[in-house]
Amino acid sequence: MDVRAWTFVMVGLSFALYIAVAIWSRAGSTNEFYVAGGNVPAVLNGMATAADWMSAASFISMAGLISFMGRDGSVYLMGWTGGYVLLALLLAPYLRKFGKFTVPDFIGDRYYSQTGRVVAVICAIFVSFTYVSGQMRGVGIVFSRFLDVDINIGVVIGMGIVFFYAVLGGMKGITYTQVAQYCVLIFAYLVPAIFISIMMTGNAVPQFGFGGTIADGSGVFLLDKLDSLSTDLGFDAYTLGRKDMLNTFCITAVLMVGTAGLPHVIVRFYTVPKVSAARTSAGWALLFIALLYTTAPAVAAFVRTNLLTTIPNSRYEDAPNWFKKWENTGLIKFDDKNEDGIIQYVGSNSAINNELIIDQDIMVLANPEIANLPNWIVGLVAAGGLAAALSTAAGLLLVISSSIAHDLLKKWLRPDISEKKELFTARIAAGIAVCIAGYFGINPPGFVAQVVAFAFGLAAASFFPAIILGIFYKRMNREGAVTGMIAGITLTAGYIIYFKFIHPELNTKDHWWLGISPEGIGAIGMIVNFIVSMMVSMVTPPPPTDVQELVERIRIPVGSSESHEISV
């Protein structure tokens, strides 16, 4: 069968599995809709958390970023991995013990403030919509190439699938669907990596192949060959770091603390029956995540090496089939400026004009085709990319849904609303959120990983300080927390909007404040949040005694193995 047929088979089977799981595990109550009834086993929750967290940015875009950025792309690996460790050790157990299953719920109750709850809801929706636009963009990319449909139609198809199992099943349906999606995405990521590692280095373990020698008997290390290919074409050496240290630090910090403030990841720790299970599921999730994240640098090096070996300085009519198929999507473009029919792909250090434009989001998806792997692997990778994007999109949409139905309606505007009406409202909110997410997927503010980086920056500048101070600082009050969140997210969002939308022509290092890019400005927003929160809390009344006692109880490990009922 050809690539398209295999893609239909792989994607069709995976979608059938997701829909069947969603029907089997559909939610019948608000407790099941929001937190899957709070009885998901730790191992399965760890798998679902890994799928929820490893979005299209991880599966599709991260290795693509590294393949173009080289060593500088390690900020994404360090930031996202370190952030998950921070979340698992510093936040998850305490938030689970608190017993509230949304971030706005924690903010509203910990800071005894409906204003704080509303601000947190706005932040959660803002962060989630920014994040979900990247996922929908990833869905569109996969469909546009492998099913030969327009990228916008691909987004609409993805919207329909997410709508079905997110609205029908809620967190219960999403959780078990994400378990299936993790199995699909990790299999789809590792299989081609193992094949290519064997082909290029003779080593079946991609992580070892990444640091090994090429299998041609020359004894040349893979990275040395990649450095040589890059410099010969006028690019910087692949292993050379080029980013400014301060900006690198800020981006890494944003990705770390942004991870710890992402509402759709935090809510996963409320789906387990007790606090100890939250810690255990965090450990399992880290293991499942590591399988992909330790493989990504190898995938990036493999695809970059194959690309530079096959495309530059070749004649267009002799270009491989994968090149012309991806060209049809508009995500790779050849502009024959000197009309000699030769594809000139060169770095900025060369005097020759570059004639090739490549969207880095295609690198992982095109990787099996570039390496001439069997068609069934190409279809498998397409299914894996869709699994990664859809799993995270569903989690984000549920955050938006619960923020509106539970945190705004039930906890503020209509506290007397029945459970049936609240569940109906949650499903309506999820449906509307799907439509808005689809719009942002069709009109994204950047490539997938960049858009996700913006979401992490917004989460770092808004939620992280409020959560950390709420757990570890008894004196933090509502005035300080609310003012800090507003200050942090306003600064971060304003900086991003200014450079990305108002004056994109100024989005260069020469115009950035202290050389900090929009992707890294969330670190400054987080610092501002901390400073404003602390200063305001010092000049305003302390929290009530019962709130301070609550903070003390959260941090005491006694009884951590006991089940804690979640009140909805």
Side-chain angles (χ1 to χ4, degrees), residues 347-359:
S348 57
N349 297 333
S350 174
I352 305 174
N353 289 327
N354 180 30
E355 297 179 339
L356 187 63
I357 300 174
I358 305 174
D359 188 315

Side-chain angles (χ1 to χ4, degrees), residues 22 29 170 189 373 400 467 513:
S29 67
Y189 203 85
L373 294 184
I400 297 169
I467 295 172
W513 183 65

Side-chain angles (χ1 to χ4, degrees), residues 97-231:
K97 192 172 182 182
F98 190 84
K100 300 299 178 180
F101 54 82
T102 68
V103 173
D105 221 6
F106 171 82
I107 298 295
D109 286 8
R110 163 59 181 87
Y111 294 113
Y112 50 98
S113 170
Q114 291 293 4
T115 302
R117 186 188 304 275
V118 173
V119 170
V121 167
I122 294 172
C123 291
I125 292 174
F126 194 15
V127 169
S128 298
F129 271 129
T130 304
Y131 202 159
V132 80
S133 66
Q135 311 315 306
M136 289 302 178
R137 161 78 172 171
V139 171
I141 289 173
V142 175
F143 278 126
S144 68
R145 162 62 187 92
F146 295 108
L147 298 184
D148 293 331
V149 299
D150 182 77
I151 193 169
N152 296 341
I153 296 176
V155 171
V156 173
I157 295 173
M159 287 167 56
I161 297 295
V162 173
F163 177 84
F164 183 84
Y165 67 78
V167 173
L168 177 67
M171 179 56 81
K172 185 178 179 182
I174 287 172
T175 295
Y176 292 104
T177 302
Q178 285 173 337
V179 171
Q181 287 168 331
Y182 175 80
C183 296
V184 172
L185 76 87
I186 200 64
F187 189 68
Y189 203 85
L190 293 180
V191 167
I194 292 170
F195 270 76
I196 297 173
S197 183
I198 293 172
M199 292 168 59
M200 294 185 69
T201 69
N203 198 314
V205 181
Q207 292 86 342
F208 294 155
F210 175 62
T213 57
I214 300 173
D216 59 1
S218 64
V220 176
F221 283 92
L222 173 67
L223 291 178
D224 286 339
K225 179 178 180 179
L226 186 49
D227 277 345
S228 177
L229 289 169
S230 299
T231 54

Side-chain angles (χ1 to χ4, degrees), residues 58 62-68 70-71 73-78 81 189 193 206-211 222-223 226 238-239 289-305 364 367:
S58 295
M62 184 172 63
L65 270 172
I66 297 171
S67 71
F68 279 81
R71 196 180 79 179
S74 63
V75 297
Y76 290 89
L77 282 172
M78 293 186 297
T81 307
Y189 203 85
Q207 292 86 342
F208 294 155
F210 175 62
L222 173 67
L223 291 178
L226 186 49
Y238 188 79
T239 57
I289 290 166
L291 290 176
L292 188 147
Y293 268 58
T294 57
T295 307
V299 171
F302 295 156
V303 68
R304 184 70 174 176
T305 301
V364 170
N367 188 27

Side-chain angles (χ1 to χ4, degrees), residues 376-398:
W376 69 268
I377 295 182
V378 178
L380 178 64
V381 170
L386 290 171
L390 295 176
S391 62
T392 302
L396 290 163
L397 292 170
L398 189 68

Side-chain angles (χ1 to χ4, degrees), residues 325-344:
K325 289 177 180 177
W326 276 102
E327 194 176 21
N328 293 335
T329 68
L331 298 174
I332 186 169
K333 300 176 183 177
F334 169 52
D335 180 13
D336 193 4
K337 296 177 181 178
N338 57 10
E339 299 182 353
D340 63 354
I342 296 176
I343 303 173
Q344 294 172 340

